[in-house]
Amino acid sequence: MYPDREKALAKGRRKDKTFIRVFCGIFILLGIILFTAGIAVGVSSHTFRQKAEPVNAVILAMRGATSESLGTPVVEYAVDGKSYTATLNMASSSMHPGKRITVYYQKNNPREVRYLDDNGWLVALFVFMGTVFAGMGAAFWLVKRSHERKARRLLATGKVVEAEITGIREDTNNSMNGRHPIVVSCRYTAPDGRVYFFRSGSFWYESYEIDPKKKVRVYVDRNNPADYYVDVDSAIG
């Protein structure tokens, strides 16, 4: 028997809360960063364009271009009869030496130049990815909350059966600090001879903290046997 059942329960619940906070937090934070970056790029481009003038430029070279990188476009353009050479802030797959493009320069500083015509897709990409990542984090949190509500409902109203533990495995779909939560499989034979198989959700316990000889409590919806909750806590120690 595990020497300290209460300690094991507290540790498992603490790990579960930490995992939810870290997993959801990372995705939501990354989403916010990407979304904010997209808006910032859009606002910066709009502000720059408001104080800029368009001018035709020719691409002299794609500096640093390789088979894996587009490189950085170096362009030449003329303002008031004077030629300037500048390195642009972005590149696109359609750019190549000799191609003519439209760039924008600041009226009070012709050397400050940007290529803005393809900025729209970059802004859209950042905003889209930000929304996706933040949505994934929020969705995971909502699903977890839904599972918690289901567990509370079944703990309060479900029919309790004692099931035999048939397997304990790691849930490799989830990970934290190189460790995985566990999933418990169990079997219950009803008085009428029917056999029911259940599988728990993910619990942040070590497999050795589960007593395989103990029966685990399963709370089953009285009207729908497919709706159940495996109370892994009951098999600790």
Side-chain angles (χ1 to χ4, degrees), residues 49-75:
R49 191 190 292 263
Q50 293 294 101
K51 300 178 181 179
E53 290 287 345
V55 63
N56 289 324
V58 61
I59 299 176
L60 300 178
M62 298 297 290
R63 182 178 295 163
T66 67
S67 59
E68 299 178 352
S69 172
L70 295 174
T72 305
V74 179
V75 299

Side-chain angles (χ1 to χ4, degrees), residues 121-151:
W121 72 267
L122 185 62
V123 173
L125 178 63
F126 273 115
V127 171
F128 174 74
M129 293 302 296
T131 303
V132 168
F133 277 98
M136 287 174 64
F140 187 87
W141 183 79
L142 289 172
V143 169
K144 181 65 176 177
R145 294 283 292 181
S146 175
H147 288 169
E148 290 174 351
R149 287 194 297 270
K150 171 185 172 180

Side-chain angles (χ1 to χ4, degrees), residues 132-187:
V132 168
F133 277 98
M136 287 174 64
F140 187 87
W141 183 79
L142 289 172
V143 169
K144 181 65 176 177
R145 294 283 292 181
S146 175
H147 288 169
E148 290 174 351
R149 287 194 297 270
K150 171 185 172 180
R152 287 195 296 269
R153 173 178 60 81
L154 290 170
L155 284 168
T157 64
K159 175 184 177 182
V160 184
V161 300
E162 299 282 338
E164 300 175 30
I165 295 176
T166 57
I168 303 171
R169 66 172 181 83
E170 290 186 338
D171 178 7
T172 54
N173 292 323
N174 295 312
S175 177
M176 182 172 62
N177 296 328
R179 308 300 294 270
H180 305 287
I182 62 168
V183 174
V184 174
S185 299
C186 53
R187 176 181 60 208

Side-chain angles (χ1 to χ4, degrees), residues 108-128:
N108 59 349
N109 183 11
R111 293 185 180 279
E112 189 176 351
V113 61
R114 293 186 189 181
Y115 179 68
L116 301 177
D117 289 356
D118 282 350
N119 260 10
W121 72 267
L122 185 62
V123 173
L125 178 63
F126 273 115
V127 171
F128 174 74

Side-chain angles (χ1 to χ4, degrees), residues 160-228:
V160 184
V161 300
E162 299 282 338
E164 300 175 30
I165 295 176
T166 57
I168 303 171
R169 66 172 181 83
E170 290 186 338
D171 178 7
T172 54
N173 292 323
N174 295 312
S175 177
M176 182 172 62
N177 296 328
R179 308 300 294 270
H180 305 287
I182 62 168
V183 174
V184 174
S185 299
C186 53
R187 176 181 60 208
Y188 169 68
T189 303
D192 61 4
R194 291 185 183 181
V195 178
Y196 297 87
F197 294 92
F198 306 105
R199 186 175 62 182
S200 75
S202 298
F203 284 79
W204 286 94
Y205 295 124
E206 304 292 343
S207 58
Y208 65 81
E209 294 173 337
I210 305 293
D211 185 350
K213 296 179 181 179
K214 255 182 132 174
K215 289 192 175 182
V216 60
R217 286 195 294 269
V218 182
Y219 294 80
V220 184
D221 188 300
R222 298 176 186 278
N223 300 314
N224 180 15
D227 186 16
Y228 62 86

